[in-house]
Amino acid sequence: MLKRLTLYSLALSLVFSFAGCTQKSNSNRQAIHIGNGGEPKDLDPHITTGVPEHHIIQNLFEPLVSKDPRTLEPVPAVATKWEVSKDGKKYVFHLRKEARWSNGDAVTAQDFVYSWTRLLKPETAAEYAYQGHYIIGGKEFNSGKLKDASKLGIKAIDEHTLEVNLVNPTPFFLSLLYHHSLYPVHKATVEKFGAKWTRPENMVSNGAFKLAKWEMNKVITLIPNPHYWDRQSVKLEEANFYPVDNLDTEEKMFRSNTLQVTNEVPLEKLPHWRGDKTGVFQNYAYLGSYFYWFNVKKAPMDNKNVRKALSLAIDRERLVTYVTKGNQLPGTMYVPPGTAGYNPIPRLPKDLSRLAEAKQLLKQAGYGEGLKKLPKIELLYNTHEGHKKIAQAIQEMWKNNLGIDVELVNQEWKVYLDSMHTGNFQVGRMGWIGDYND
């Protein structure tokens, strides 16, 4: 049985890491079974924001350009080639004539004009709409100041030629196109079925796979798109994604060969996997930051000194050494070191060397020894054993270092997303994964 376990690290105001494993299926059928973490909120590339959704969407849809898996450099996808003007502000993409949607329709330049316009429409309420702000008129159209979509810097020259005009030269623009918010969607399907267009019986996609089954909280099944332009390169007959929130359960499913790929590995199991001598465990850098988000509209998080005090009272070095245990880096800066060769200046301590300053800041905010006690803080995280362990560690640090009581609140993925997006939290767990290497 061939297995591979991969650990990918996130950076934070603490830094986190996840691990996943892969192994061959015992079945002769070319099917793969993947642990996906949470149940996807949706599969609409213009409104989703999470990693569980992206895992699936990137297999259903194909962008203009894709990335080389080794170098991360842009390579042809729907577009076979492109030209960039000398001033770096105009891109002309030439689409492959054999590109097809899963219903057999041709993928055209107009599909991208429609899709990017939909992303930017205020009524779409896309959180990633700003990915289209690089385009002339994108920001203004998204805000409602520009009403005429024809004024946007995107146009179809003909069925297979797309012109994109940018506000400014944007060196990472091609890499930006990897992001699911700039994937195309099928206009007729979206307009016919509305919010239900992502159901298996309705969805039309242009990627290597199409959606065959979606059983809520059970499994999402993809099968090859018979009209995909590079169909002969697709070897899998089926891909199944399972929303397994419990990491211990997921690892047991992997060990029993029920899963061939895991989303993560329990933190307490990392020492075991790290000691593996078979080559199962492999460690890779991951451009991401794990952090806690303060709701500045709710007291006492509306006080800057309170927020600073809480940040300085975290021992990040201890957290990654004794809690996450996966070679993560203490998040003393927001941008992970090495992003496109950039090495940021640390802004936060990795230990408690500035704890005295934290206590003084809390006093300046009117709380602490000899003053009123800071009210109990609620810390929200989505259901996940790793998030729970980190939250418990932070809870203990804030109690021991600042005398603050913290109540931990966990919610299922969809409910958690709604709470975060509507501001129904005080402090919440968040992560940011690099959408492009810049």
Side-chain angles (χ1 to χ4, degrees), residues 47-332:
I47 66 171
T48 55
T49 60
V51 174
E53 290 81 8
H54 182 71
H55 285 163
I56 300 167
I57 289 172
Q58 67 180 341
N59 291 289
L60 291 171
F61 298 90
E62 184 172 68
L64 286 170
V65 303
S66 188
K67 57 179 175 285
D68 184 286
R70 293 180 177 83
T71 68
L72 302 185
E73 292 300 311
V75 294
V78 173
T80 59
K81 61 180 181 178
W82 49 88
E83 293 100 33
V84 185
S85 62
K86 288 184 178 180
D87 64 3
K89 295 199 287 188
K90 178 189 286 188
Y91 288 71
V92 178
F93 296 92
H94 302 274
L95 279 58
R96 60 179 75 247
K97 295 180 180 179
E98 67 272 30
R100 291 288 184 273
W101 293 95
S102 56
N103 67 347
D105 289 351
V107 178
T108 67
Q110 188 57 45
D111 288 327
F112 285 91
V113 174
Y114 167 76
S115 300
W116 293 4
T117 302
R118 177 178 183 256
L119 170 72
L120 289 165
K121 282 184 177 179
E123 54 265 38
T124 303
E127 288 190 54
Y128 273 117
Y130 60 82
Q131 302 284 46
H133 288 185
Y134 302 96
I135 299 167
I136 287 177
K139 186 174 183 179
E140 293 76 14
F141 187 72
N142 185 224
S143 68
K145 293 180 180 179
L146 175 65
K147 304 296 183 182
D148 186 357
S150 68
K151 302 295 184 182
L152 289 170
I154 45 175
K155 59 181 177 180
I157 304 302
D158 56 42
E159 279 200 350
H160 298 101
T161 310
L162 177 71
E163 181 181 302
V164 183
N165 293 279
L166 307 181
V167 179
N168 295 301
T170 307
F172 55 84
F173 182 68
L174 289 174
S175 297
L176 188 67
L177 299 180
Y178 308 158
H179 193 265
H180 62 75
S181 61
L182 295 171
Y183 288 0
V185 295
H186 190 257
K187 178 180 179 181
T189 300
V190 173
E191 294 187 346
K192 179 178 180 179
F193 297 106
K196 294 184 179 180
W197 80 269
T198 56
R199 301 303 304 158
E201 63 272 19
N202 301 330
M203 179 179 273
V204 173
S205 60
N206 75 316
F209 293 86
K210 66 177 185 176
L211 184 62
K213 179 170 65 176
W214 187 351
E215 295 183 16
M216 294 290 181
N217 297 308
K218 289 186 178 180
V219 66
I220 290 177
T221 300
L222 311 185
I223 58 175
N225 171 5
H227 299 288
Y228 182 55
W229 64 270
D230 197 21
R231 174 68 182 86
Q232 67 275 9
S233 297
V234 180
K235 304 304 181 185
L236 282 173
E237 298 174 57
E238 183 179 286
N240 299 284
F241 295 81
Y242 299 87
V244 186
D245 284 327
N246 187 292
L247 298 188
D248 288 318
T249 299
E250 187 179 61
E251 196 205 26
K252 289 176 183 176
M253 292 173 71
F254 171 76
R255 288 179 180 276
S256 67
N257 210 17
T258 303
L259 295 179
Q260 283 80 57
V261 181
T262 68
N263 182 57
E264 298 174 36
V265 165
L267 296 180
E268 65 272 13
K269 299 292 181 65
L270 286 179
H272 162 76
W273 288 109
R274 287 167 59 82
D276 182 83
K277 305 297 184 183
T278 65
V280 168
F281 186 87
Q282 299 179 41
N283 198 356
Y284 297 98
Y286 193 51
L287 298 183
S289 300
Y290 187 108
F291 58 96
Y292 281 170
W293 196 2
F294 296 123
N295 187 347
V296 299
K297 294 183 178 180
K298 287 193 174 185
M301 300 308 153
D302 57 347
N303 189 304
K304 179 172 66 175
N305 287 335
V306 171
R307 301 194 300 270
K308 281 187 174 182
L310 290 171
S311 181
L312 295 176
I314 296 174
D315 189 333
R316 296 163 175 80
E317 185 73 56
R318 186 175 181 82
L319 189 64
V320 299
T321 301
Y322 298 107
V323 180
T324 62
K325 303 178 183 178
N327 279 356
Q328 302 86 354
L329 300 176
T332 57

